[in-house]
Amino acid sequence: MRRASLFLFVLLFILASCGGGKKSKQNQTDGSEQTITKPVQETDETKELMAYLEKNGDYVRSQNFPSMMDASEVHEKMDANIYIIDLRSSESYEKGHIKGAHRVQFTELGNYFKNTIKPSDYERVVLVCYAGQISGYATSLLRLMGYNNVYSMRWGMSSWNKDFAEYSWLDVVSDEYADLLDTITYNRNNAGKLPEIHTGKTTGQEIAQARFDKIFEEGTPEVLISAEEVFEEPEKYYIINYDRRDRYESGHIPGAIRYRPNVTLGYVQEMETIPTDKEVVVYCNTGQNSAFVTAYLRLLGYNAKSLMYGANAFMHEKMEKEKKSLSWVPFSKSDIEKYDYVTD
């Protein structure tokens, strides 16, 4: 009797459990199948972009960084298969430019390379500007985009003829802040986070293209900063000395922190020491190398600027005196050629 009662109890329990389960499912879904949605994993766009740039040639860690040509080399190749782009204003271009040079606004460069010319048809595409900084900035971006035959003309049009240098390099070299230089070695920040960029894209290639489009659209008003602004309030900025140790130790902008060329860019741990909540100023000897660096940093979302004319803008005489011992690169009249130019 007890066995029969126990068997009946178990049977009723099983039937109730099965029926209850079906009823519960119907109540939850109103007769339809329930869809389980997996949580969407957010993409770290900055790291995706860095990985893509590394895969696409790793330009910032290559021996070709930065990519520059002297005016003499450009002059020698004028009859060869090169294409010269002048980034200066239309007024400056009309007053004088290299024969055959095509004037293109910086904001149009990305489209120009995609839709107007076929860069691979030329041995080299050379960008020129006033002093070599904007052309360096643009060259860095285009190289990062995969255009491996683009170069910036060193010193800009100032090295082509003295008529251009008088309103640029010859007019700006200074020793005004040499007595304010610092010799203290400053340590980098502890590693934090990379900047956050939000293009809404997922693949490295899509993110890169969106960032390039934005950088070209922004133009160059916020790319450069003067020595006067930096020395007036150096603590306001995170100042990067992008140079050799011996030069750094001989005197640098107060508070500047040295980052080693070719051992900083492209490395996540190194890049994470650069703050994302402060304006970053990069400087070197001439402002031309720092312009290349600034392009990379701005592409990744840093609020970075290149110091106009580099150390030449605040310690030119010191650079001249220490040229042999520290291999400084001070601009001088010997850097100016006497090449012809046209005005049509």
Side-chain angles (χ1 to χ4, degrees):
M1 184 68 179
R2 288 182 179 178
R3 290 183 179 179
S5 298
L6 180 60
F7 176 79
L8 180 61
F9 174 79
V10 172
L11 180 62
L12 290 172
F13 177 80
I14 293 173
L15 292 175
S17 298
C18 292
K22 290 181 179 179
K23 184 176 181 180
S24 175
K25 183 177 180 180
Q26 289 174 348
N27 288 341
Q28 290 176 6
T29 63
D30 293 328
S32 60
E33 291 293 329
Q34 184 178 7
T35 303
I36 300 176
T37 305
K38 294 183 179 179
V40 178
Q41 186 175 3
E42 292 186 6
T43 301
D44 188 333
E45 292 192 22
T46 310
K47 287 185 179 179
E48 285 285 339
L49 176 56
M50 289 182 68
Y52 171 76
L53 294 175
E54 181 179 1
K55 185 179 179 180
N56 200 38
D58 203 9
Y59 173 59
V60 295
R61 284 190 278 182
S62 73
Q63 293 182 345
N64 295 320
F65 181 88
S67 307
M68 288 185 275
M69 290 176 64
D70 291 330
S72 58
E73 189 177 2
V74 176
H75 187 264
E76 289 174 5
K77 291 182 175 292
M78 283 186 64
D79 294 329
N81 187 30
I82 68 170
Y83 194 92
I84 302 173
I85 294 177
D86 194 320
L87 298 175
R88 297 173 301 152
S89 69
S90 57
E91 290 183 356
S92 297
Y93 177 84
E94 290 169 2
K95 287 180 181 178
H97 57 268
I98 300 173
K99 185 178 180 180
H102 305 263
R103 196 190 82 81
V104 181
Q105 288 183 324
F106 174 87
T107 54
E108 296 298 324
L109 269 179
N111 289 328
Y112 194 83
F113 270 66
K114 286 189 292 185
N115 303 317
T116 303
I117 64 169
K118 187 177 180 182
S120 58
D121 285 346
Y122 303 94
E123 179 186 343
R124 296 190 179 188
V125 179
V126 184
L127 307 186
V128 300
C129 65
Y130 299 96
Q133 285 188 272
I134 294 302
S135 59
Y137 180 74
T139 296
S140 184
L141 291 171
L142 292 167
R143 282 268 182 167
L144 288 166
M145 290 179 74
Y147 298 109
N148 298 323
N149 60 340
V150 183
Y151 294 82
S152 171
M153 190 168 80
R154 195 185 307 271
W155 308 115
M157 288 297 289
S158 292
S159 63
W160 193 260
N161 190 289
K162 64 179 178 60
D163 292 345
F164 304 106
E166 289 176 351
Y167 301 98
S168 182
W169 273 104
L170 289 179
D171 189 45
V172 299
V173 293
S174 168
D175 212 49
E176 184 174 357
Y177 301 103
D179 59 341
L180 298 178
L181 297 179
D182 197 344
T183 56
I184 299 173
T185 298
Y186 293 91
N187 296 322
R188 304 176 187 180
N189 285 354
N190 293 326
K193 293 183 178 180
L194 295 171
E196 293 183 7
I197 54 178
H198 303 283
T199 66
K201 308 298 182 181
T202 53
T203 69
Q205 183 175 4
E206 291 173 333
I207 295 168
Q209 188 59 61
R211 288 298 298 162
F212 285 125
D213 290 344
K214 182 174 178 57
I215 292 294
F216 283 119
E217 182 184 347
E218 288 175 349
T220 58
E222 300 297 321
V223 171
L224 304 177
I225 189 169
S226 69
E228 181 181 4
E229 291 177 87
V230 176
F231 275 92
E232 182 178 351
E233 202 174 358
E235 65 278 2
K236 178 180 176 181
Y237 310 99
Y238 187 81
I239 305 172
I240 292 178
N241 172 280
Y242 193 73
D243 214 333
R244 292 173 5 191
R245 179 182 294 278
D246 54 353
R247 291 174 180 167
Y248 174 78
E249 292 176 344
S250 76
H252 51 78
I253 298 175
I257 301 167
R258 191 180 81 90
Y259 281 75
R260 296 169 59 191
N262 300 323
V263 190
T264 298
L265 305 183
Y267 295 94
V268 173
Q269 289 183 334
E270 292 277 323
M271 303 290 291
E272 286 178 338
T273 64
I274 302 174
T276 61
D277 58 351
K278 200 170 187 178
E279 195 167 340
V280 178
V281 174
V282 188
Y283 83 96
C284 61
N285 268 229
T286 67
Q288 295 172 106
N289 288 14
S290 62
F292 278 80
V293 174
T294 298
Y296 182 74
L297 294 180
R298 291 184 72 87
L299 186 67
L300 294 181
Y302 290 97
N303 181 16
K305 295 184 179 181
S306 174
L307 183 66
M308 295 172 65
Y309 310 106
N312 276 269
F314 59 84
M315 49 179 268
H316 183 263
E317 187 176 337
K318 172 182 169 63
M319 295 172 73
E320 287 282 10
K321 291 178 180 178
E322 300 175 350
K323 184 175 180 178
K324 289 185 177 179
S325 60
L326 292 177
S327 302
W328 287 113
V329 187
F331 183 82
S332 66
K333 292 182 179 179
S334 63
D335 293 306
I336 305 173
E337 305 290 351
K338 299 179 181 178
Y339 298 139
D340 293 333
Y341 58 88
V342 296
T343 56
D344 55 351

